[in-house]
Amino acid sequence: MERTVGFIGGGQMCEAIFSGLLREEILGPDQIVIADTSPGRLKELAERYGVQTALNDESGVGALSAAACDILFLSVKPQVARGVLEKLAPALTNQLVISIMGGVTIAFLEQFYKGPVIRVMPNTPMFVGCGAAGLVQGSHATQADMDTAVELFSAVGKTYVMSENMLDALTAVSGCGPAFVYQIIEALADGGVEKGLPRSVAQELAAQTVMGAGKMVLESGRHPGQLKDSVCSPGGSTIAGVHVMEQRAVRGAVMDAVDAAYEKMLEVGRKA
C-alpha cells in the first residue's frame, strides 16, 4: 500500500494493528507515524519496529505530524475524543480517518470532520493475525475508503462490515471477549495443576484446547451445542463436567459478562 498511516495514541490496540500490517508487509516502517504523549512508549515502539514517532505534547505538534498522513487512526481513549478532535479538525483536509475509539459514534466524529470517516472496533488478537474487526462506513466515506479499511484489517484477521447499531454488541463479544476467554484458559490450567500437571504443560494444553475448539466451530460449520454433544459420551467424564458447569451457571455468567460490557460501552459513548 503506497500510503502513509498515522496513529494518534500509541497503546496496545494501535500496536496490535500496525505490527500486523508490518508483519504482513502491507506497510513499511517508514510509512507509519505514531503520536503519543509518552516519550518512553514512543522510544519503545521506535526501537522495536523502526516506525516514525512524534511526541504529542501540549503544543499538539506530534498529533499534527500523524494527521498529515494519508490515513489517520484515532486510537486515544474515548474520554479525550472531544479535545483531540477539536484540535485536529482544522488541520485535516481529506484524509481517511479511522476511529477505533470505543463508543464514539460516527455522528459525533462528523461534528468535527466532514471528510471520510470509518468507525472500527478491532481486538488484541490482531497481534497474532487472528483478530476480528467490525467496520462502519461514515456518511462521507466512499466505497473505495471502505475497501482500503477492509484491506488493512483483513491483513490482521477477519472483518465484518455492519450497521453502527450492531457495533457495541460486537465490541462486547469480540473486543472484550478475549479477556473472558483468558479467564477460562487460566481456570482450565489451574484445574490441571490441581490434578498434578506442571503449570507450563497445563497452560499450553488449556490454550491449545481453546484454540482447537474455536477452529472446530469455524471450520466445521456445526453449532457449538452439537460439537459439545459429540464429546459427551453417555455416562462419561465430559458430561459429568458439563453437569457441574450447568449447575454453576457458567453459560449464564458469560452472557451476563457480555451484557455488562455492552452497557458499559454505551455509557462510555454517552460521556465522550
Side-chain angles (χ1 to χ4, degrees), residues 83-256:
V84 169
L85 286 164
E86 285 175 347
K87 290 180 180 179
L88 276 181
L92 297 176
T93 53
N94 199 44
Q95 294 95 325
L96 171 57
V97 171
I98 299 176
S99 169
I100 62 170
M101 299 183 292
V104 179
T105 65
I106 292 286
F108 180 87
L109 295 166
E110 291 182 344
Q111 288 179 37
F112 302 90
Y113 179 54
K114 303 303 181 185
V117 171
I118 294 173
R119 185 180 167 199
V120 181
M121 290 313 310
N123 66 0
T124 53
M126 289 182 177
F127 268 116
V128 292
C130 291
L135 291 81
V136 178
Q137 184 173 344
S139 59
H140 305 295
T142 65
Q143 186 58 51
D145 295 323
M146 279 298 287
D147 291 344
T148 297
V150 168
E151 179 184 357
L152 290 171
F153 284 95
S154 293
V156 290
K158 290 185 176 291
T159 58
Y160 304 86
V161 177
M162 58 180 56
S163 59
E164 191 168 26
N165 61 3
M166 297 171 62
L167 202 58
D168 289 328
L170 174 140
T171 305
V173 174
S174 62
C176 305
F180 309 153
V181 175
Y182 297 145
Q183 285 189 291
I184 292 170
I185 291 172
E186 184 181 25
L188 282 170
D190 284 347
V193 171
E194 183 184 22
K195 298 307 176 188
L197 289 174
R199 169 65 64 181
S200 59
V201 173
Q203 182 169 303
E204 186 169 326
L205 281 172
Q208 181 70 24
T209 298
V210 169
M211 183 175 70
K215 194 169 184 180
M216 284 284 287
V217 172
L218 291 172
E219 295 188 4
S220 72
R222 298 170 67 189
H223 189 279
Q226 290 179 307
L227 292 169
K228 178 261 297 179
D229 289 348
S230 71
V231 185
C232 293
S233 304
S237 57
T238 305
I239 193 64
V242 168
H243 185 190
V244 173
M245 294 181 74
E246 290 296 314
Q247 285 180 321
R248 304 294 173 82
V250 171
R251 286 194 295 174
V254 174
M255 291 174 69
D256 286 347

